[in-house]
Amino acid sequence: MNNKKLSQMLGFALLRTCMAVVVFILMVILYDIISKGIGVISWQFLTQPPKNGMTEGGIFPAIVGTFLVTVFTAVLAVPLGMGCAIYLNEYARDNKLTRLIRMSIRNLSGVPSIVYGLFGVVLFVQLLRLGTCILSAGFTLGLMTLPWTITASEEALKNVPRSYRDGALALGATKWQTIRTNVLPYAVPGMLTGTILGLSRAAGETAPILFTGAAFFLPFLPRSVFDQFMALPYHLYIMSTQHHAIEQVRPIAYATALVLIALVFTMNLFAIVFRYHLRKLKRD
């Protein structure tokens, strides 16, 4: 066996080992959560509010709050993020300013989520006087998701071959007609996939909503976008670290974690299926 084949075998073996370690750790974590939380999940657990100091009852207000704040996150992040990506990739000139903007956007995607939470308090809660509510929390998560949406959308636009644009322009189409008819139809699956993955991450965040709208316990559902709300990640944080009877509510915490994982997994699965469906339509 020569050195090239030996190096190739060692490389594949290293990659397989890395994959096996990651999958093993993931399976251990999932088994621990599922085995300790599945027994608590029932129809009543999913459709009732917490009772008796959150030691009994369900998580329905937290599910509703998570859904609502994710919707407002999408309202801010999707149109702004995709519009910014289209401008940067299709209209903006490739100069130092554009490269600086792109570098800043990518750096913002690595900023800790607690920083976005503090920024949301200053901007939405104090300056705009929205108060701690669904709107403030949703917009804070939207700001946090924007860099992900812009980066994913721009990468999807870059993957559309240049010849698609040149062909339309050569036939007399305007710049916008070229983008609308020859670029976006092929880039939208990738743009939406990145956006949904960013939203699924936002749905599981605790720090940004900690100061901007999430409540420890509410006996009722929010009546408007200016009300506080319960959310699954914050509910899980409280049940795991701050509750006065942590051992008693630990099964509820595991069940809440399982529901949250199922929610994020469902959103990611939807992104994968949606992307596959759109690509299949384009091939047909």
Side-chain angles (χ1 to χ4, degrees):
M1 181 180 299
N2 57 39
N3 290 335
K4 288 184 178 179
K5 288 188 176 179
L6 180 61
S7 299
Q8 178 175 288
M9 288 181 60
L10 291 176
F12 282 142
L14 179 62
L15 293 177
R16 290 193 186 100
T17 304
C18 292
M19 185 191 68
V21 170
V22 171
V23 171
F24 175 75
I25 293 173
L26 179 62
M27 290 297 107
V28 169
I29 294 173
L30 287 177
Y31 173 77
D32 184 60
I33 294 175
I34 293 173
S35 62
K36 294 178 180 176
I38 192 69
V40 179
I41 294 180
S42 63
W43 179 248
Q44 288 74 21
F45 181 74
L46 298 175
T47 57
Q48 290 183 356
K51 300 176 183 176
N52 297 330
M54 301 173 71
T55 58
E56 298 177 4
I59 57 172
F60 183 64
I63 295 175
V64 173
T66 302
F67 173 76
L68 291 176
V69 81
T70 303
V71 169
F72 280 95
T73 302
V75 168
L76 178 68
V78 174
L80 274 181
M82 290 186 177
C84 181
I86 292 172
Y87 177 80
L88 283 176
N89 196 70
E90 304 296 332
Y91 288 99
R93 295 180 179 178
D94 187 17
N95 52 31
K96 289 183 179 179
L97 178 60
T98 308
R99 289 194 287 272
L100 178 64
I101 292 173
R102 283 197 179 97
M103 185 178 69
S104 301
I105 291 172
R106 290 189 173 94
N107 285 333
L108 283 174
S109 64
V111 171
S113 57
I114 187 68
V115 177
Y116 283 101
L118 296 174
F119 182 76
V121 171
V122 174
L123 179 60
F124 299 115
V125 177
Q126 296 179 349
L127 289 181
L128 298 181
R129 300 182 183 280
L130 295 177
T132 52
C133 61
I134 294 174
L135 212 55
S136 297
F139 284 172
T140 302
L141 287 173
L143 288 180
M144 190 193 72
T145 310
L146 262 180
W148 289 65
T149 306
I150 295 171
T151 304
S153 299
E154 198 175 359
E155 290 301 320
L157 289 167
K158 286 180 180 176
N159 288 332
V160 179
R162 185 70 199 173
S163 58
Y164 287 28
R165 298 171 177 83
D166 294 338
L169 292 172
L171 293 174
T174 63
K175 184 80 172 179
W176 172 241
Q177 285 174 327
T178 301
I179 295 171
R180 183 167 55 84
T181 59
N182 277 33
V183 177
L184 287 182
Y186 298 94
V188 161
M191 296 169 75
L192 288 179
T193 301
T195 300
I196 293 173
L197 292 177
L199 292 177
S200 65
R201 181 211 173 194
E205 284 287 349
T206 303
I209 63 174
L210 189 62
F211 310 118
T212 54
F216 172 75
F217 170 70
L218 290 173
F220 49 81
L221 295 177
R223 297 183 180 87
S224 76
V225 296
F226 298 104
D227 286 342
Q228 283 190 294
F229 62 98
M230 293 182 68
L232 286 172
Y234 188 50
H235 185 70
L236 175 59
Y237 167 72
I238 294 295
M239 301 294 275
S240 304
T241 61
Q242 305 294 314
H243 199 277
H244 65 277
I246 287 182
E247 292 301 326
Q248 183 180 354
V249 300
R250 195 171 296 281
I252 298 178
Y254 272 104
T256 304
L258 184 56
V259 172
L260 183 58
I261 289 175
L263 174 66
V264 174
F265 177 78
T266 302
M267 293 180 69
N268 291 341
L269 183 64
F270 174 77
I272 295 171
V273 172
F274 187 70
R275 182 172 184 167
Y276 173 79
H277 182 67
L278 284 180
R279 283 184 172 177
K280 187 177 179 182
L281 285 178
K282 292 300 174 189
R283 284 198 298 267
D284 295 340

